[in-house]
Amino acid sequence: MSGFLPQAVILLFLIVLLGFFNEKVTKFPYEISLMLYSVVIGAGVLIFVSVLSDTPVRKMLENLQVFNLEELLMEGVLCFMLFAGSCHMRLLDFKKHARPITLLSIVATLLGAIFYGVLFYAGASLLGLPFTFPVCLMFGSITAPTDPIAATSILKKFNLPKDISFIMEGESLFNDGVGVALFVCFSGMVTMQENGSFLAVMGKELFGAVLVGVLVTAVCFPIFALTGEGNRRIFVSLLAVSLAYVLCEHFGFSGAIASVVCGILFSALRNHREQKGKPIDLQEFDTFWEILDNLLNSILYVIMGLTFVHILQMPQVLLISCFAIIFNLIGRSSSVGLATLFAGKLPNGYDKLSFIKLLTYGGLRGGLSIALAMSTREMVGTETYNIILGSTYAIVFFTTVVQGMTMKQVYQRIEKKISEG
């Protein structure tokens, strides 16, 4: 069984079945339940396949776990997921919290990649792994960016204070471009290519993407605002984000950042019209993007869960993954801590220590990290690639399932301390 439609049927069947079971029985956060149960199903399929002979049933089950996740993310759904997460952002709130969001999305991401790279290089040296320092820095850039999809879809369910929640969402949306730029810079060191200095890469990845996002929005939004058809507004938004992403891919900019820029500008222009007394009826638009965002998130988590079992079969991956998870927590807390020192007064009565604890534990990872890890296949040897991919999967799984499921308890303890203080 191969092709798009059979795989789509399998994915939709799992999304419906697992979602319904979780709704009626376990009642976990939705995204966590999809990944967790998909891992269990993937393990069961792997065990069942191992005892079958070469039959059509075996081939069908093997195809169940053959999804090109990198292609799906980087060339399919990532731009739409990022647009959906940012098209409802409150620009006035961003202006209010520009300083902490900028520090966290740029400074903390850079420091996190460096800290993680140094820690993993030390660990790899102790274990005798064939990792050079540039490879470890590249690995750090893969795991440093927090995932906007996971952050906005999981953390908002815990009734975080409005301003703190916005800062966390803003960081996770804007640090993708920084992470991609760091990845390009450090992967250039690995492959001994002349990719330019960090500032040059940042200029190309980040500012080029911003320019594309602004120009595409300037062309598309007037049609969006002037048309009287709700369906056409949806089509225009789809055109804007996909066109921005394709142009960035052609010119070598960050398509992820361009998608976010389009979403923010659509939201800002929409709010501007409302303030001028010229509101647009966007009920269909909002409903469409909420449904699409939920569907794409569901597909992402199911595929990641199904493919996770294959990663566990790689040599030494379990031991190395434990080191990777610990180093990730240390690198995240250290980088956020240093960036927070310069963030000024924090909202909602949060002191710096409580803020650092919340952002460290709320630093979930997701599809972008997996896609970047997969793109290292041609840069490093098979053993190094397997370690990078396996460790990245472990970090994504741990932050999404373990941290995601216990985030509410951590937040409640932090809130209790703040209220008592």
Side-chain angles (χ1 to χ4, degrees), residues 378-400:
E378 304 299 325
M379 305 179 195
V380 295
T382 302
E383 181 182 359
T384 301
Y385 170 75
N386 288 339
I387 293 172
I388 290 175
L389 185 59
S391 300
T392 304
Y393 258 92
I395 291 172
V396 171
F397 181 82
F398 181 85
T399 57
T400 301

Side-chain angles (χ1 to χ4, degrees), residues 82-100:
L82 292 170
F83 181 88
S86 58
C87 67
H88 304 297
M89 286 191 70
R90 304 172 295 277
L91 196 61
L92 291 177
D93 287 346
F94 175 75
K95 183 178 179 181
K96 179 181 177 182
H97 302 299
R99 183 176 179 181

Side-chain angles (χ1 to χ4, degrees), residues 146-168:
T146 54
D147 181 50
I149 300 156
T152 55
S153 61
I154 294 177
L155 296 178
K156 67 182 180 182
K157 294 181 174 65
F158 298 149
N159 297 319
L160 294 171
K162 175 183 175 182
D163 292 334
I164 293 294
S165 177
F166 186 85
I167 291 174
M168 297 179 71

